[in-house]
Amino acid sequence: MAMPATDRASRWLAAYRRLAGAGDVLKAAEAARDSRWTDMLRLIAERSGGDLSAMQQNVARQATDIGMAFRLPEEDDERTWPLGPVPLIIDYAEWQRLEAGLVQRAELLERIVADIYGAQQLALDGSLPAAAIAGSPNYWRQMNGANPPKQPFLQFIAVDLGRGPDGEWRVLADHTRVPAGAGYALENRIAFSRAAGALHAKLNVLRLAPFFAAFRDGIAAQCERESPRIGLLTPGRFNQSYPEQAHLARYLGFLLVEGADLAVRDDKLYVRTIEGLKRIDGLWRRLDTRFLDPLTFDVGSRIGTPGLFDAFLAGNLAIGNAPGVGVLESPLMAAFMPRLAQHLLGEDLKLPNIATWWCGQPLERDEVLAAVDEMVLEAAFNGRAPAGLRAGQPVLGADLDAEDRAALMAGIQMRPEDYVGREVVRLSTMPSFDGKALVPRPFTVRAFLARNRAGQWQVMPGGFARIANDGDVRATVMGEGAFTADVCVLAEGPVAPVSLLVDPSGRAVRRLSGVLPSRAADAMFWLGRYIERGEMTARVIRAALGGSIAGDGGSRGEEALGRLSALLVSWGAAWHAAAGGDASIIRICEAALDSGEEAASVSALLGSIRGIAQGVRERISPDLWRLVDNP
């Protein structure tokens, strides 16, 4: 007889409690007599038949069906998004405190960047040293005094959060330049909800759709027309988070466009379509400022749009986020945030930073040098790799050998402004499935904020959790997470179903599927042609192999096989195989089917089909994508 779900969940919990230490979120909830973790695990046990491995496989299958994927730097192939079977749950009261701190931080970041590219009073009075601004590779002088008066600098931001063993949440990093991850948070929710059935409804989990609707309305409100056309500007299919961008464009009804799809005429932005130029009123950019406009920023850019910055300056184009806001992402900024909160807002930070010391100031430099073994050392500016460090890779001072330590100390002495020291932050743990059982693993949460139609900040009720692949609880040196998890914020009562398919008035939301950029139209044409060529090549191979095995023999059969063989060679499907002049029909068919040397073999054609389909991912159905992604 199968064990009841309640008993199975109780066994999971009993085993987990023996492993979890102080500060674990499940144990903290139990100490507060909050039974919702127990309720959630019972529902998971019911859904999975008491088998977490089955739940993990179901979640992974749903993620694959949705098309969730990502690419690591310098890798050509996409990886399946690693979603775990146990979500992180946060009660509503705790989330409200987080919301207040996140909104305050977003407002502070807006005021800082507005001053950096405006009055520059913070630099003048010493609240934010000029070197901390101008030293950033993401600071662009072209933006000084350039922002149109009706547009905010920040429309959408992400914030990485860590929860300490004492239950206090702290900010680990701000993402303002091209904040990624909202699409993955949405996909996590969709994949897990499909695998978990009615779990979200039974636990009163707040929905994500109202947040995305508010963001869409917010960027539309920045445009000058009543029914604006909005595009999501992508670097292209080789970008690390391109699958996420394609999913978001489809979900929000935005046009997914690349720089080459766009053209500027009379300081207005247009998209090239099969029906001619169509006006674009707003862009949600996922393209770095450096590459936006080769006439204004980096002249070497081949993926930007000439004149785009002029359309922005003229007030004819809303861009979220504005060019140049990446200056806020410099790790050294955290050293000044508490002071700037008092200076600009007149209040303390509701969400504190991890303690940070910028070595560009003599006292702070000496403090870091005196306590290197107790700190994490990091480049002060993103994209820079000072002596003793690698760009984007902080190091724990205590882990340095003598040679690396000497190189680091010499670098700090020579160019102290390029370094920051940070405290070593310890994280809370949450339940994660390691393939055998629930185990405690440290985690961080990426939260998202967007402006609504009224220009006010709205926080996504959730986000995604990144779970470390081992027991290391040092936040700043965790490396890549082995899994992500859905983040569920639990309301105090039932949550009304909300969808982006209709707006609050009940009217259908206008989608942009009828506007087809010329590049996408060209790709769709060649997608069809390559599918047709692959099918015809496969049919000829089948006919040739069938004729060679079950043919009637004689001159007619030999003549037919010769013609089929010549056809495969002339198509380029078996050119190399036939180069010697004496290849058998079996050898030619093998090459035409699966040779990596043949430019038009079925295998090569399938690779071309997959590459083309990646470039129009938002235009094809999930079913078709599964076919081309798993030939």
Side-chain angles (χ1 to χ4, degrees):
M1 179 181 295
M3 183 182 296
T6 301
D7 293 342
R8 177 68 68 176
S10 297
R11 289 199 174 190
W12 291 349
L13 283 168
Y16 183 79
R17 291 189 192 102
R18 291 193 292 270
L19 298 174
D24 181 81
V25 291
L26 186 153
K27 294 185 72 172
E30 289 185 332
R33 301 184 182 278
D34 186 342
S35 64
R36 283 176 289 190
W37 273 97
T38 304
D39 296 340
M40 180 191 68
L41 291 175
R42 176 179 54 79
L43 291 170
I44 290 176
E46 290 177 355
R47 183 68 176 182
S48 65
D51 185 356
L52 273 174
S53 295
M55 187 66 175
Q56 174 66 74
Q57 293 171 7
N58 193 4
V59 168
R61 183 169 58 252
Q62 298 299 336
T64 300
D65 286 347
I66 294 171
M68 295 173 67
F70 71 108
R71 180 184 285 108
L72 290 177
E74 301 179 359
E75 285 191 357
D76 294 331
D77 296 330
E78 292 179 350
R79 298 188 179 195
T80 301
W81 186 250
L83 176 60
V86 180
L88 171 67
I89 59 177
I90 303 175
D91 71 74
Y92 189 64
E94 184 174 15
W95 186 255
Q96 282 185 310
R97 294 191 292 272
L98 277 175
E99 273 190 321
L102 289 167
V103 169
Q104 181 205 45
R105 191 171 192 87
E107 194 58 45
L108 177 59
L109 290 171
E110 174 72 31
R111 294 197 186 188
I112 293 172
V113 73
D115 180 84
I116 287 173
Y117 292 120
Q120 301 180 346
Q121 189 60 43
L122 294 176
L124 290 173
D125 64 22
S127 299
L128 186 61
I133 301 170
S136 171
N138 294 311
Y139 169 71
W140 292 94
R141 290 180 296 171
Q142 295 89 329
M143 278 297 297
N144 287 334
N147 202 57
K150 294 183 180 180
Q151 294 185 26
F153 282 86
L154 299 173
Q155 190 76 35
F156 189 100
I157 66 173
V159 180
D160 286 340
L161 302 171
R163 182 185 186 274
D166 59 357
E168 181 184 45
W169 290 87
R170 308 176 79 178
V171 173
L172 305 178
D174 299 302
H175 302 277
T176 57
R177 186 167 46 98
V178 283
Y184 290 127
L186 175 64
E187 291 173 328
N188 279 359
R189 176 62 54 86
I190 294 172
F192 185 77
S193 63
R194 289 180 180 178
L199 182 147
H200 290 87
K202 291 179 179 179
L203 290 179
N204 299 325
V205 177
L206 290 175
R207 291 177 173 259
L208 305 184
F211 169 82
F212 287 102
F215 167 59
R216 186 174 60 189
D217 290 344
I219 196 167
Q222 301 300 324
C223 303
E224 64 176 15
R225 295 199 295 176
E226 182 177 349
S227 298
R229 183 175 289 114
I230 302 171
L232 192 158
L233 180 59
T234 173
R237 69 183 182 92
F238 294 107
N239 184 258
Q240 292 172 247
S241 60
Y242 178 78
E244 177 211 14
Q245 297 162 25
H247 181 79
L248 281 172
R250 184 167 53 241
Y251 182 74
L252 294 168
F254 291 175
L255 278 175
L256 187 65
V257 294
E258 298 179 23
D261 296 328
L262 306 174
V264 175
R265 301 288 187 273
D266 299 323
D267 288 341
K268 295 182 177 64
L269 186 67
Y270 297 87
V271 58
R272 297 182 173 95
T273 77
I274 55 177
E275 297 178 349
L277 296 177
K278 300 290 185 181
R279 177 81 181 274
I280 289 278
D281 304 283
L283 284 177
W284 183 18
R285 71 176 180 94
R286 298 292 290 271
L287 184 64
D288 190 80
T289 299
R290 177 179 300 279
F291 305 112
L292 273 181
D293 184 346
L295 298 182
T296 302
F297 301 108
D298 189 341
V299 69
S301 171
R302 296 294 182 267
I303 58 175
T305 305
L308 186 146
F309 190 64
D310 293 331
F312 172 72
L313 290 182
N316 296 324
L317 176 67
I319 301 180
N321 293 333
V325 297
V327 68
L328 296 170
E329 292 187 356
S330 298
L332 66 82
M333 279 289 180
F336 300 95
M337 293 297 281
R339 182 197 310 173
L340 292 174
Q342 279 290 342
H343 184 71
L344 296 175
L345 303 178
E347 53 192 27
D348 293 330
L349 287 173
K350 296 177 182 178
L351 272 176
N353 298 310
I354 55 175
T356 304
W357 295 264
W358 180 44
C359 296
Q361 303 172 108
L363 291 178
E364 286 76 3
R365 178 200 62 205
D366 293 343
E367 190 168 349
V368 169
L369 289 172
V372 165
D373 291 340
E374 302 170 10
M375 291 188 179
V376 171
L377 286 303
E378 188 174 353
F381 301 103
N382 290 328
R384 297 279 177 81
L389 294 176
R390 294 182 180 179
Q393 296 186 17
V395 299
L396 186 64
D399 290 345
L400 293 171
D401 59 28
E403 183 178 352
D404 290 338
R405 180 187 178 90
L408 179 67
M409 300 288 277
I412 294 177
Q413 293 284 5
M414 183 177 296
R415 287 187 57 86
E417 65 273 14
D418 289 341
Y419 299 82
V420 294
R422 295 194 173 199
E423 65 173 319
V424 178
V425 177
R426 306 189 72 82
L427 294 174
S428 292
T429 57
M430 65 170 282
S432 178
F433 183 59
D434 69 352
K436 297 180 181 179
L438 287 179
V439 294
R441 288 288 184 262
F443 69 94
T444 61
V445 171
R446 179 163 294 187
F448 303 91
L449 299 90
R451 293 188 187 273
N452 59 21
R453 182 176 293 276
Q456 299 172 333
W457 287 105
Q458 187 160 333
V459 182
M460 178 192 291
F464 75 81
R466 191 181 74 170
I467 305 170
N469 56 4
D470 53 38
D472 192 343
V473 292
R474 294 170 297 187
T476 51
V477 291
M478 264 176 43
E480 296 174 16
F483 279 101
T484 65
D486 185 20
V487 177
C488 299
V489 178
L490 308 185
E492 297 174 345
V495 177
V498 181
S499 171
L500 285 191
L501 298 179
V502 294
D503 67 17
S505 65
R507 297 173 297 177
V509 173
R510 181 173 69 88
R511 297 282 175 175
L512 296 173
S513 56
V515 178
L516 187 62
S518 299
R519 175 191 53 83
D522 183 70
M524 296 293 284
F525 170 80
W526 286 107
L527 180 64
R529 287 295 301 273
Y530 275 100
I531 290 175
E532 182 183 31
R533 289 180 65 182
E535 181 199 14
M536 290 301 298
T537 303
R539 290 176 67 182
V540 171
I541 293 171
R542 171 176 285 190
L545 291 176
S548 67
I549 296 171
D552 57 4
S555 60
R556 289 188 178 182
E558 292 296 331
E559 181 182 357
L561 289 176
R563 289 184 178 182
L564 292 174
S565 175
L567 194 59
L568 291 173
V569 174
S570 67
W571 284 354
W575 188 88
H576 289 86
D582 58 351
S584 67
I585 187 64
I586 300 296
R587 175 72 185 92
I588 286 177
C589 287
E590 286 178 345
L593 183 64
D594 197 31
S595 174
E597 293 183 342
E598 308 293 349
S601 68
V602 173
S603 176
L605 290 172
L606 288 174
S608 298
I609 289 168
R610 186 176 186 275
I612 295 171
Q614 282 183 327
V616 288
R617 200 166 185 156
E618 83 286 4
R619 295 280 171 179
I620 61 178
S621 69
D623 291 332
L624 178 57
W625 173 251
R626 285 197 296 273
L627 287 175
V628 301
D629 192 39
N630 297 282

